[in-house]
Amino acid sequence: MRNDLPPRPTGAVRTRLLSVIGVAVVGVVTGSLLIWHAQLGDMLGLAADKEPVVSSVSAPAVGAPPATNLATTTPTRRPTHSPSTPSATPTTPKPPKKTVHKPTREESIDGLSPKLKGRLTKAIAAAKAAGVTIRITSARRSAAKQQRLLNEAIKKYGSYKLATRWVLPPKYSAHVLGKAVDIGPAAAMTWLNRNGWRYGVCRRYDNEPWHFEALTAPGTKCPPREPHAVAKAD
Ligand SMILES: [Zn+2]
């Protein structure tokens, strides 16, 4: 009896085991198929996502599809919210997105003479405190760059004499010496024209509202403006 009984349960166990194994195998196979499908879907999805991103970057005026906009805006919102981690919020003030334009050496005050650089630094800080951003468009220029600008001006204005009202030859240019700065935008020009004398920085020419030099002692009146630049006789 004891010998007869075991086969029945083992047979039942075998069938159960087989069915369990079968189910497991089917499960694994279907699971792997699902994963494979999902991966394939991801690959296709990624491939489909890449195209609108590139097109929206290269041609922003066309208008990207709304689905990709949602997809791109959702992940950026997640880290900025994060109310559960208050310490992470002040450390991530999202500054890198605004720094699109990297200033060149000509657009920085680094190449300016120590006198103009020091005065301009103070003026820029004071303007900022007053809510005005002074942007350097051109400070120190190489002689080669100055010559290029002059050549372009001669083509534009038709003669050397007229061109030098706007662009002096390298050997006479205050920009080449690091003693002149061009700024923008218009609000900054207006502010520095009004307040530059406090820092010894003055607008020099009537025809160039963007051009400033260190023409007076800080806190004293700027000299009268000149109508335009004049190239000295060679
Ligand atoms: Zn200038």
Side-chain angles (χ1 to χ4, degrees):
M1 291 295 279
R2 284 181 184 176
N3 290 336
D4 291 339
L5 285 171
R8 288 174 193 168
T10 49
V13 167
R14 275 179 191 169
T15 48
R16 282 177 191 170
L17 277 171
L18 281 171
S19 63
V20 166
I21 288 164
V23 167
V25 166
V26 168
V28 166
V29 168
T30 50
S32 60
L33 279 171
L34 283 171
I35 288 163
W36 182 74
H37 272 286
Q39 285 174 342
L40 196 68
D42 281 347
M43 287 171 71
L44 291 171
L46 281 170
D49 282 344
K50 278 177 185 173
E51 287 170 6
V53 169
V54 170
S55 65
S56 64
V57 169
S58 58
V62 177
T68 52
N69 286 343
L70 285 170
T72 49
T73 50
T74 312
T76 51
R77 280 177 188 172
R78 278 175 191 165
T80 50
H81 278 299
S82 63
S84 57
T85 53
S87 60
T89 317
T91 52
T92 53
K94 57 179 177 183
K97 286 183 180 177
K98 288 183 178 178
T99 56
V100 177
H101 177 75
K102 191 183 176 184
T104 62
R105 171 135 179 105
E106 190 189 323
E107 291 166 336
S108 89
I109 62 171
D110 295 342
L112 292 176
S113 71
K115 184 165 86 170
L116 181 55
K117 184 180 175 180
R119 293 180 180 190
L120 197 60
T121 301
K122 289 178 185 171
I124 287 171
K128 192 179 178 184
V132 177
T133 301
I134 294 180
R135 189 166 46 83
I136 311 295
T137 57
S138 183
R140 188 185 198 112
R141 291 176 201 145
S142 68
K145 171 77 182 281
Q146 188 70 19
Q147 187 62 52
R148 272 206 307 279
L149 293 174
L150 177 59
N151 294 344
E152 289 167 11
I154 290 170
K155 282 181 190 171
K156 183 178 177 182
Y157 297 104
S159 75
Y160 172 85
K161 192 179 177 183
L162 285 175
T164 54
R165 291 184 175 189
W166 300 90
V167 184
L168 286 171
K171 60 180 173 181
Y172 302 131
S173 171
H175 280 285
V176 174
L177 297 170
K179 292 182 176 179
V181 65
D182 295 345
I183 63 157
M189 298 176 201
T190 304
W191 188 93
L192 197 58
N193 186 40
R194 246 177 233 160
N195 301 286
W197 63 274
R198 302 176 196 273
Y199 313 94
V201 179
C202 304
R203 177 178 160 186
R204 182 163 178 181
Y205 304 115
D206 285 336
N207 69 335
E208 294 187 15
W210 53 83
H211 179 104
F212 290 83
E213 298 181 31
L215 297 177
T216 191
T220 61
K221 199 178 169 183
C222 285
R225 284 211 300 262
E226 303 163 45
H228 52 75
V230 178
K232 295 167 190 168
D234 287 294

